[in-house]
Amino acid sequence: MRLVLHVWRQTGLDAPGRFERYEIPDASPDMSFLELLDGINESLAARREEPIAFDHDCREGICGSCGVVINGRPHGPQRATTACQLHLRHFTDGQEIWVEPWRARAFPVLKDLIVDRGALDRVIQAGGFITARTGSAPEANATPVPKRDADRAMDAAACIGCGACVAACPNASAMLFVAAKVSHLGALPQGQPERYGRVVKMIDAMDEAGFGACSNHGECMAACPKEISVDLIAQLNRDLIRASIAPPREGKSWTGTA
Amino acid sequence: MSRVDALTHSLVGKKILMAVTGAIIVGFLVGHVYGNLKIFQGPDHFNAYAEGLRTLGAPLFGRSHLLWIARAVLLASIAGHVWAAYAVTRASWHGRPVPYKALHQVETTYAARTMRWGGVLILAFVIYHLLDFTFGRVNPGFVPGDAYRNVVASFSVPAVAISYLIAMLALGLHLYHGLWSACQTLGLNHPRYNQLRRGAAGALTLLIVAGFIAIPLAVLAGVVR
Amino acid sequence: MDLRSRVPAGPIEQKWDAHRFEMKLVSPANKRRYHVIVVGSGLAGASAAASLAELGYQVSCFCFQDSPRRAHSIAAQGGINAAKNYQNDGDSIWRLFYDTVKGGDFRAREANVYRLAQISTAIIDQCVAQGVPFAREYGGLLANRSFGGAQVSRTFYARGQTGQQLLLGAYQALARQIGLGQVKMYPRTEMLDLVVIDGRARGIVVRDLVTGAIHSHAAHAVVLATGGYANVYFLSTNAKGCNVTATWRAHKRGALFANPCFTQIHPTCIPAHGVHQSKLTLMSESLRNDGRIWVPKEAGDRRASNDIPEGERDYYLERQYPSFGNLVPRDVASRRAKEMCDAGHSVVPDGHGVYLDLRDAIQRLGRQTIAERYGNLFEMYQRITGENPLSVPMKIYPAPHYTMGGLWVDYNLMSNLDGLHVIGEANFSDHGANRLGASALMQGLADGYFILPYTIGDYVAQAKLSPVDTDHAAFRTVEAEVRERTNRLLAVGGSRSVDSFHRELGTLLWNQCGMARTHRGLEDAIGKIRELRARFWKEVGVAGRGEDLNQALERAGRVADFMEFAELMCVDALQREESCGGHFREEFQTPDGEARRDDDRFSHVAAWEWTGEGKAPALHREPLAFEYVHLTQRSYR
Ligand SMILES: Cc1cc2nc3c(=O)[nH]c(=O)nc-3n(C[C@H](O)[C@H](O)[C@H](O)COP(=O)(O)OP(=O)(O)OC[C@H]3O[C@@H](n4cnc5c(N)ncnc54)[C@H](O)[C@@H]3O)c2cc1C
Ligand code: HEM
Ligand code: HEM
Ligand code: SF4
Ligand code: F3S
Ligand code: FES
């Protein structure tokens, strides 16, 4: 199949960028979107031109490295699918495709389609963890966890940290990412002692990083390759309210959520 | 930062403030629309009600005292709401300095996208509205204390009535997203009831807006004169 | 050079405890005076960096991805083993130890494997405490499944994302230490060389992948946790960035490379579908619990799978292995699939593939049950192939997946170079010639959480290390060499892409040093690799500058190292004149085509020493004694 790509090229941090046009006469519907970019880079190499820079690693939809905005949609048109798992059979012959990087103040463009997502790491560093020094752990089965809670925790923990939620959000808000981690740890007994301190620290770090505010557009959920639900955003807000006006004593024994 | 600071300083905190103040204003509106509908029972009932508002809480409270307290709360709410709205809107605009060629949106609604300018419109309306009925500055035939006459006088001017209708529509959109959004912001969600939230927001919005709209329409139609 | 494995004396079940008591401790006050470099933030690296920082050491951690959370460990699907015996089905430390040694076809060090089994239970405790959402039963206790043909259910899992959840646990522990300032994290930074001073590893030279700047970092000890080298085959289930660079450069600085020819080919991957294929995707082994593997009896039969009547299907594993059937170990299942396809029974037109058919399981257990059991796998399969496994059989074929070989380490996980520790898949590991499913995650975390933190302390406490910083002449020289090499890559100025060379190398190895190897094939491969390497340095084209984010340059460096490493792989395979585990030499097989070990001549670890460009590597042997698990020929018939 024939495809026309307009790819954002930008030589470096705060350099001006522009769309470059590339025509691919012989793409195969079985190719992944990243393999399409590989193909363009092969031909660029032959012409001794710089390849299109884009992040990728696992190409299995799990590492969260890849991520480009395809025709205005982070990770492209297919639901619950990362760019690396998106295959060309979802495009039509002769289609024009516009490819852009994630755009957010908190995600500065480093080159072409590569952005710096360090802000997400900083949010986790601020409190997205359970403090459990190596060696200090009790026997694993000492604390039973209701299956329902374990499953809820897993649903939230499926987040791959790709940042598509931020890219899709009209406000460039990172609420879904933060909500996912807060809900994952908050759903488990192990996460209770730090629960309310955690949410305050993470929200602080989120604002620090320059993300926008959530006004409940729901675009993040639509773009999320792991289909993290905006219900978790409500949960995050509830935890913050609880933390601010009625914080239970730290270490208070666990009493379920939601 | 301390936990309470998190509520006042963080963006999420500001959203919560908006939700709370928004809810207070909604509360006022419910009462307001209920009172306004007495207009259909004729001048005496309606003016009695307006008068009643002033003698509310008597003899415990002096004339208009309770009303002023209510007004103060309302004013504070609107001020807080607008301040927070400005803050979060600013943060969000800063959030994406370089725009997309075109962000293809799939989930959001027209109502959600128009919260900001819709809000500004509502603010403008409220100011005009106060000058109209409370201070009588822009009212064609203002008679202090005769609310009924003031309303009829004002809505008899088609341009005014129409602009009221438009304002009501803006309000409707704002409430439709706002009420649902507030549930999210206040963490009012439960797997079992989540689907109901949008419906409920729609219903309440409909009641309020329909109630308000009925009045200018009635005046235009000559039902109320 | 004599290889001192430093295995403590005494009965195997007491070795580790006794050793821990004998090891020197560093006083709490002194720990912060010691600086440790950890290269890699996968399960092994992240767990080590976090644990060392918790103890009070100053840690610098490096990874080439934009975040430590993206390490290749994240892709692990199936699960992690531990001898908890929660299922009461007769599991024990001894059994896990026994299974691992036997599964590794008797080419692993008994003492290390026993320690691994001992530690396995603490790993689960640690991960649960961190909030890893393992699968649970309705009673709220942890669930297990049997994996990779094990006779007991000892595998813990988190949906199909076990590696992701374990890594996020370690990553979050690491993030906490970064936040506390105990760990300095360097993402998008690639280690390009090791600095050895007075015979001791004292630092590394790295390239900042954003600015292209070359920097040095000095420390008291260096830990490599840089993963496996399966990408030498170009097409593998590994993430695109996985490479041999860190371990290979260390090798060229004196570290011995052990058993490089021990590579694992995973039987159930999605077959390649064309010239543009960039990597292969694993379909979890658990599918073999319910799926039946078959090919048409008739070679070259082009009919659609569902049109082939039962009688004309050859369920070759069930036919050849009545007792284990579709659950034979990975190496066996892979080799048989290759045989079938070489004999023309492939079900992928002009390609390689066999059917993995869930039809009978669906009839037996119902669509619903099967869909629930493998839901996310089916989605992934359908995304890639566009076919729904619930209606048509899946097509699968073996692919390079894991590498048992790696840098040689002693019982303390230290290489022959003092101060250079190697953990996780990067070391030659506890898996011998073949790794059992769900054992790599266990090993990575055992190394990082529970072994290295002790042995590093022992090392720095004993080695009287002179203070060294990056102004030391040794750093200057190595930096200069790294710069020179980088410039050389940019200067070639050819017009052939790096990937095209990598592909060519991969195909060559896949055919001649893959699932089946022969003397002639290997000798021929060595010649071809040298010739390909020569062409690489003449014809490769790397556009752009060195002082910039330059992905072509990154890849070029890695492929250049693969080109050198591939030769050693073949040399090792040539030298090992036996078949064991993943290493199958066609000359050495039993009459019914099974691997035939030669314990008299090859019951040893082959550790290779770099002797200089163009010189033959020197072989050192670490003999392996089996006191507790008796040498037997594996049989699954
Ligand atoms: C698809 C797949 C599924 C698997 N499933 C399972 C399973 O179910 N159970 C199981 O037990 N095992 C499984 N494995 C194997 C297991 O995942 C790996 O062996 C294990 O995760 C390796 O962990 P590691 O920490 O040693 O290395 P990795 O996780 O590969 O980490 C390597 C780290 O080193 C860094 N690095 C590498 N080179 C450099 C350099 N030059 N400079 C700087 N940093 C560098 C990388 O950035 C990365 O952070 C699977 C493997 C694959 C491919
Ligand atoms: C009739 C009076 C008003 C009512 C009843 C009202 C109600 C609400 C409610 C309930 C919300 C939802 C808060 C949340 O998302 O949690 C909201 C949001 C909002 N309001 Fe109002 N509001 C009113 C007036 C205004 C005015 C005068 C402005 C601004 C000038 C304004 C601007 C906004 C904005 C911008 C939002 C969206 C905030 C966001 O989610 O980003 N509103 N309003
Ligand atoms: C067509 C619909 C409406 C009618 C007929 C109406 C009528 C009136 C009247 C008659 C008053 C004066 C009451 C008095 O001073 O005794 C009043 C006050 C007021 N109205 Fe409305 N109103 C309408 C809609 C609205 C809306 C939509 C809002 C808000 C968004 C609003 C906000 C107010 C406020 C804040 C006051 C001042 C209250 C006070 O002074 O105590 N009104 N309205
Ligand atoms: S929430 Fe979804 S979109 Fe956002 S980072 Fe996580 S996986 Fe990506
Ligand atoms: S799209 Fe943005 S506005 Fe909130 S619901 Fe999602 S973060
Ligand atoms: S490359 Fe890992 S998620 Fe796409």
Side-chain angles (χ1 to χ4, degrees):
Chain A
M1 62 200 284
R2 177 180 159 281
L3 292 170
V4 178
L5 261 68
H6 304 267
V7 182
W8 183 263
R9 301 302 304 266
Q10 179 172 334
T11 54
L13 203 62
D14 19 77
R18 71 200 171 322
F19 284 98
E20 282 277 357
R21 188 174 183 286
Y22 303 94
E23 203 166 323
I24 303 90
D26 54 354
S28 146
D30 290 333
M31 286 169 112
S32 75
F33 195 83
L34 298 193
E35 284 167 351
L36 181 68
L37 296 181
D38 291 340
I40 298 176
N41 283 345
E42 282 287 308
S43 43
L44 287 175
R47 282 182 265 136
R48 316 219 51 256
E49 289 173 37
E50 275 205 59
I52 300 165
F54 62 96
D55 264 326
H56 66 97
D57 200 20
C58 75
R59 296 204 175 191
E60 286 187 15
I62 191 71
C63 74
S65 296
C66 68
V68 289
V69 174
I70 301 167
N71 285 342
R73 300 191 60 179
H75 287 305
Q78 197 188 5
R79 66 156 262 290
T81 304
T82 53
C84 59
Q85 289 283 288
L86 174 66
H87 284 64
L88 298 188
R89 63 182 80 92
H90 299 284
F91 296 86
T92 54
D93 188 28
Q95 190 174 349
E96 296 234 339
I97 304 172
W98 298 78
V99 188
E100 299 176 75
W102 288 171
R103 296 200 188 276
R105 173 180 304 279
F107 291 167
V109 174
L110 296 177
K111 186 170 187 174
D112 297 344
L113 303 173
I114 295 183
V115 301
D116 176 354
R117 284 170 292 196
L120 298 182
D121 287 314
R122 291 195 292 280
V123 171
I124 299 295
Q125 286 157 21
F129 49 75
I130 288 171
T131 300
R133 307 177 94 263
T134 304
S136 63
E139 150 62 35
N141 261 347
T143 321
V145 181
K147 189 171 189 313
R148 188 172 127 276
D149 297 329
D151 289 344
R152 276 212 344 274
M154 182 63 222
D155 291 339
C159 165
I160 59 175
C162 61
C165 44
V166 177
C169 175
N171 304 328
S173 165
M175 279 293 268
L176 195 61
F177 169 81
V178 178
K181 185 48 63 189
V182 165
S183 307
H184 159 209
L185 301 177
L188 296 167
Q190 292 82 357
Q192 297 313 305
E194 294 165 294
R195 179 172 180 179
Y196 297 98
R198 173 185 307 126
V199 68
V200 170
K201 294 191 195 115
M202 290 182 78
I203 283 179
D204 189 21
M206 173 173 77
D207 290 352
E208 192 76 13
F211 293 106
C214 171
S215 41
N216 301 308
H217 284 291
E219 292 300 330
C220 49
M221 174 168 66
C224 175
K226 298 300 159 186
E227 300 186 293
I228 306 287
S229 160
V230 291
D231 295 354
L232 301 189
I233 292 181
Q235 160 108 48
L236 166 66
N237 292 326
R238 186 160 67 244
D239 277 12
L240 181 73
I241 294 171
R242 185 95 187 268
S244 312
I245 55 196
R249 271 178 292 99
E250 297 268 317
K252 157 178 164 301
S253 75
W254 183 61
T255 55
T257 52
Chain B
M1 85 172 138
S2 91
R3 296 187 148 161
V4 180
D5 285 359
L7 199 49
T8 51
H9 294 1
S10 72
L11 288 171
V12 178
K14 293 192 177 77
K15 279 306 304 289
I16 291 165
L17 176 66
M18 290 183 70
V20 173
T21 51
I24 294 174
I25 306 171
V26 172
F28 161 80
L29 286 181
V30 171
H32 192 47
V33 73
Y34 172 78
N36 286 347
L37 287 175
K38 291 185 184 300
I39 205 162
F40 290 101
Q41 298 172 308
D44 312 343
H45 274 87
F46 190 66
N47 289 345
Y49 150 76
E51 174 62 20
L53 287 176
R54 284 154 178 75
T55 53
L56 211 61
L60 191 56
F61 289 85
R63 180 176 172 77
S64 298
H65 287 180
L66 199 55
L67 180 62
W68 275 110
I69 293 170
R71 286 172 172 172
V73 171
L74 191 62
L75 198 66
S77 298
I78 295 182
H81 190 81
V82 172
W83 169 76
Y86 170 75
V88 296
T89 302
R90 201 162 151 279
S92 297
W93 283 348
H94 273 247
R96 180 166 293 133
V98 184
Y100 288 107
K101 177 172 180 298
L103 190 58
H104 177 95
Q105 301 184 350
V106 287
E107 273 294 315
T108 183
T109 60
Y110 180 76
R113 287 199 301 274
T114 51
M115 288 303 272
R116 289 156 189 170
W117 296 118
V120 174
L121 198 91
I122 296 169
L123 185 61
F125 161 81
V126 172
I127 292 165
Y128 176 88
H129 182 60
L130 294 182
L131 295 175
D132 188 0
F133 293 139
T134 308
F135 306 109
R137 294 292 156 71
V138 296
N139 190 296
F142 189 71
V143 178
D146 190 348
Y148 185 91
R149 218 163 156 289
N150 298 340
V151 171
V152 176
S154 182
F155 290 167
S156 309
V157 186
V160 176
I162 305 245
S163 47
Y164 261 76
L165 293 178
I166 294 169
M168 294 306 108
L169 294 182
L171 177 68
L173 281 172
H174 198 84
L175 288 185
Y176 175 62
H177 178 71
L179 289 174
W180 176 81
S181 179
C183 295
Q184 281 290 94
T185 306
L186 296 176
L188 307 175
N189 79 316
H190 187 291
R192 212 172 300 130
Y193 310 115
N194 282 350
Q195 300 80 339
L196 305 178
R197 292 183 301 176
R198 280 201 187 270
L204 183 54
T205 303
L206 210 64
L207 283 177
I208 295 176
V209 172
F212 279 138
I213 284 185
I215 296 158
L217 284 183
V219 174
L220 282 183
V223 180
V224 172
R225 75 174 86 75
Chain C
M1 156 187 345
D2 71 315
L3 294 177
R4 307 220 345 276
S5 67
R6 294 203 173 80
V7 173
I12 197 161
E13 60 274 26
Q14 289 164 23
K15 286 180 192 289
W16 179 232
D17 290 350
H19 190 57
R20 272 162 64 191
F21 177 69
E22 281 148 15
M23 280 191 284
K24 299 267 168 304
L25 297 175
V26 181
S27 85
N30 282 348
K31 288 207 179 76
R32 66 184 157 67
R33 298 226 205 92
Y34 291 108
H35 186 175
V36 181
I37 284 174
V38 178
V39 187
S41 64
L43 285 176
S47 56
S51 304
L52 288 166
E54 284 167 359
L55 287 170
Y57 294 101
Q58 274 183 56
V59 179
S60 300
C61 186
F62 301 78
C63 74
F64 65 73
Q65 292 93 342
D66 69 320
S67 162
R69 70 179 287 150
R70 310 207 194 279
H72 164 64
S73 293
I74 202 116
Q77 304 169 347
I80 178 170
N81 286 336
K84 283 282 198 186
N85 192 32
Y86 282 159
Q87 304 306 315
N88 195 34
D89 55 3
D91 195 13
S92 65
I93 289 169
W94 271 101
R95 188 174 297 279
L96 177 53
F97 159 65
Y98 176 87
D99 289 353
T100 310
V101 171
K102 178 167 180 260
D105 219 355
F106 303 94
R107 291 295 175 261
R109 203 187 277 148
E110 272 190 334
N112 288 53
V113 178
Y114 190 89
R115 173 178 62 186
L116 176 62
Q118 267 178 312
I119 292 174
S120 65
T121 58
I123 295 171
I124 302 303
D125 300 341
Q126 182 62 32
C127 296
V128 167
Q130 293 170 338
V132 171
F134 283 121
R136 289 181 181 264
E137 285 157 0
Y138 281 97
L141 301 178
L142 291 158
N144 293 106
R145 66 175 161 211
S146 114
F147 193 72
Q151 313 293 74
V152 293
S153 292
R154 63 160 72 104
T155 303
F156 294 77
Y157 61 99
R159 300 230 175 111
Q161 292 120 278
T162 315
Q164 177 197 29
Q165 294 311 315
L166 293 173
L167 182 60
L168 291 182
Y171 158 75
Q172 284 161 204
L174 175 62
R176 177 168 165 262
Q177 294 303 320
I178 297 170
L180 292 171
Q182 278 295 92
V183 174
K184 179 102 182 64
M185 185 71 215
Y186 298 86
R188 290 199 201 270
T189 308
E190 182 166 32
M191 167 184 168
L192 290 182
D193 218 328
L194 178 74
V195 179
V196 181
I197 297 173
D198 313 329
R200 291 193 165 124
R202 292 309 300 272
I204 60 175
V205 171
V206 301
R207 179 167 178 274
D208 177 326
L209 298 182
V210 176
T211 64
I214 308 271
H215 295 298
S216 290
H217 295 267
H220 296 88
V222 175
V223 180
L224 296 189
T226 52
Y229 51 82
N231 271 357
V232 70
Y233 291 100
F234 184 68
L235 285 183
S236 87
T237 63
N238 286 18
K240 292 292 283 177
C242 294
N243 65 85
V244 78
T245 292
T247 45
W248 182 249
R249 300 294 175 90
H251 172 65
K252 291 176 84 172
R253 295 285 171 193
L256 301 185
F257 213 112
N259 301 336
C261 80
F262 284 170
T263 56
Q264 181 167 78
I265 313 295
H266 196 290
T268 55
C269 304
I270 301 177
H273 56 58
V275 291
H276 47 261
Q277 181 92 36
S278 62
K279 69 108 49 184
L280 295 168
T281 303
L282 180 89
M283 287 284 108
S284 171
E285 200 153 33
S286 50
L287 284 164
R288 285 202 281 149
N289 295 337
D290 289 307
R292 298 180 68 194
I293 294 173
W294 64 276
V295 294
K297 280 198 172 130
E298 180 78 23
D301 187 336
R302 283 271 156 275
R303 283 175 294 176
S305 56
N306 294 340
D307 303 344
I308 302 179
E310 194 60 21
E312 298 172 37
R313 302 178 173 196
D314 178 8
Y315 296 88
Y316 57 89
L317 286 179
E318 299 172 17
R319 173 166 56 77
Q320 294 169 319
Y321 303 93
S323 58
F324 274 70
N326 295 298
L327 291 176
V328 291
R330 292 175 175 179
D331 52 331
V332 180
S334 299
R335 216 154 43 233
R336 294 287 165 255
K338 178 180 190 297
E339 250 171 34
M340 286 298 151
C341 294
D342 292 350
H345 295 271
S346 170
V347 301
V348 178
D350 49 50
H352 290 76
V354 300
Y355 288 127
L356 187 149
D357 200 340
L358 290 148
R359 185 193 59 186
D360 298 358
I362 291 170
Q363 277 164 8
R364 197 171 66 255
L365 305 163
R367 234 180 141 75
Q368 194 52 33
T369 321
I370 296 298
E372 277 166 14
R373 209 169 273 179
Y374 304 108
N376 52 353
L377 282 174
F378 291 170
E379 274 182 29
M380 194 192 251
Y381 183 85
Q382 190 157 11
R383 270 192 214 105
I384 293 170
T385 64
E387 294 181 342
N388 178 1
L390 289 169
S391 35
V392 291
M394 302 169 82
K395 300 194 190 75
I396 56 156
Y397 197 65
H401 174 61
Y402 180 87
T403 52
M404 285 73 69
L407 291 183
W408 183 88
V409 290
D410 62 16
Y411 189 74
N412 292 334
L413 303 182
M414 185 162 81
S415 75
N416 58 300
L417 279 179
D418 281 4
L420 179 67
H421 297 71
V422 190
I423 58 178
E425 192 174 344
N427 71 22
F428 86 104
S429 93
D430 312 344
H431 307 294
N434 174 54
R435 175 179 67 82
L436 291 182
S439 291
L441 301 181
M442 170 174 69
Q443 179 228 335
L445 291 178
D447 292 359
Y449 281 133
F450 296 113
I451 302 174
L452 192 79
Y454 299 99
T455 57
I456 282 262
D458 183 48
Y459 169 73
V460 294
Q462 292 193 18
K464 319 217 166 342
L465 295 164
S466 51
V468 160
D469 65 16
T470 54
D471 301 332
H472 190 290
F475 282 94
R476 296 277 89 61
T477 352
V478 178
E479 268 184 35
E481 285 170 30
V482 168
R483 273 201 196 80
E484 185 274 336
R485 183 184 169 87
T486 313
N487 297 335
R488 208 143 43 90
L489 281 167
L490 289 160
V492 177
S495 59
R496 210 183 134 182
S497 77
V498 174
D499 276 12
S500 71
F501 277 103
H502 195 177
R503 257 176 218 283
E504 191 172 339
L505 176 70
T507 320
L508 177 65
L509 286 174
W510 180 234
N511 294 332
Q512 287 168 257
C513 193
M515 275 185 280
R517 303 150 178 194
T518 64
H519 185 93
R520 282 186 60 260
L522 290 164
E523 275 188 331
D524 174 66
I526 292 173
K528 290 209 176 96
I529 292 167
R530 290 186 179 146
E531 179 265 345
L532 183 63
R533 196 161 58 218
R535 270 194 286 128
F536 175 84
W537 284 101
K538 274 203 224 58
E539 297 167 18
V540 75
V542 182
R545 301 175 303 120
E547 306 69 30
D548 188 9
L549 195 164
N550 187 336
Q551 293 181 310
L553 180 61
E554 294 165 28
R555 256 184 248 121
R558 293 169 195 165
V559 172
D561 291 331
F562 277 134
M563 292 261 183
E564 297 179 1
F565 170 74
E567 183 173 339
L568 184 65
M569 228 173 115
C570 295
V571 168
D572 185 46
L574 192 58
Q575 165 274 155
R576 191 168 280 276
E577 294 176 328
E578 67 166 348
S579 294
C580 60
H583 171 65
F584 189 77
R585 281 283 298 270
E586 290 182 2
E587 305 94 325
F588 307 96
Q589 50 183 306
T590 61
D592 47 19
E594 297 302 337
R596 201 176 77 238
R597 284 201 327 263
D598 182 343
D599 296 324
D600 305 337
R601 292 177 57 216
F602 291 99
S603 183
H604 64 245
V605 176
W608 298 90
E609 178 185 6
W610 173 260
T611 56
E613 301 288 347
K615 298 216 195 71
L619 173 60
H620 303 271
R621 297 186 177 80
E622 180 199 339
L624 294 169
F626 293 91
E627 302 169 34
Y628 296 88
V629 185
H630 298 301
L631 289 161
T632 52
Q633 232 8 294
R634 296 187 310 167
S635 166
Y636 300 93
R637 290 186 183 262

